[in-house]
Structures are given as structure tokens and as C-alpha cells.
Amino acid sequence: AHEEVGLHPQHVESISRMESLESKHGLCVTPIIGLISPSSVAEPSQLTLNADEVEAAFAVPLDYFVDPENCDSAVPVNWGGKNFLLRTYLYDDPESGRQFKIWG
């Protein structure tokens, strides 16, 4: 996250590492779950975006993803020999007034 949005590693406590996957561009992607402290350093207005890698930063409350009404679509896919349910969400960001498509 440091390269992409300027989030310094000393602010992140890694609590879990998920299974690595190969992206459609052949890159190895390893999702990391972590706690950020203080949480204010992860506010979109506090981040320094690398324009070559990130178009925008926005915050979504986690409970948004729990409500099934917010899921725009859920499509079964097979990627790398494994079956996944690819969910897509459309989020209207009140801060920027933009709508973001979140998928994965």
C-alpha cells in the first residue's frame, strides 16, 4: 500500500494473509488483511495517490458489503482451476459524489 497510496508500513498491523492469485495481467496478487492505526492515516484525504497505479481513493463502510441489497451482481467464475463467486457492488461515494464499481 505504500507504493500505491503512501500508507506507511508502520501504521499497518498485518493480521492475515490470504491465498495468492495470478491476475489477468500475470501478476501475483496477495491480499493482506490488517489493522491501521491510527485509522485517520487511511482516510482518503490523507493518502498520497500514485497516479500511475491509483485513480481514486474512497472509504466504504464494511457493513455496506453485508447487506445483500447492495450486491449489484454475483457471477460464478473459474479462475486458475478454482471456482469463485465474483460479486460486483456500485457504491455512491457521498464525499466525492462519484459512483464506484467495486468487484472481486
Side-chain angles (χ1 to χ4, degrees):
H2 187 250
E3 175 186 345
E4 295 84 4
V5 297
L7 183 60
H8 292 281
Q10 71 259 26
H11 294 295
V12 181
E13 176 189 351
S14 177
I15 57 174
S16 183
R17 177 182 174 181
M18 297 177 69
E19 183 178 347
S20 295
L21 296 170
E22 184 178 337
S23 76
K24 67 180 182 179
H25 301 291
L27 301 171
C28 179
V29 177
T30 305
I32 303 294
I33 299 171
L35 299 174
I36 299 172
S37 180
S39 60
S40 60
V41 300
E43 290 294 325
S45 63
Q46 299 302 310
L47 300 174
T48 304
L49 307 185
N50 177 340
D52 292 332
E53 303 218 17
V54 179
E55 179 183 337
F58 56 99
V60 182
L62 286 177
D63 62 356
Y64 180 84
F65 299 104
V66 176
D67 184 346
E69 293 291 318
N70 292 327
C71 184
D72 185 60
S73 67
V75 179
V77 296
N78 183 289
W79 184 261
K82 295 182 181 183
N83 293 317
F84 296 90
L85 193 57
L86 181 65
R87 291 180 175 90
T88 302
Y89 300 84
L90 299 177
Y91 181 70
D92 295 315
D93 179 34
E95 296 293 320
S96 68
R98 294 176 59 186
Q99 184 178 73
F100 293 95
K101 184 177 191 176
I102 305 165
W103 58 272

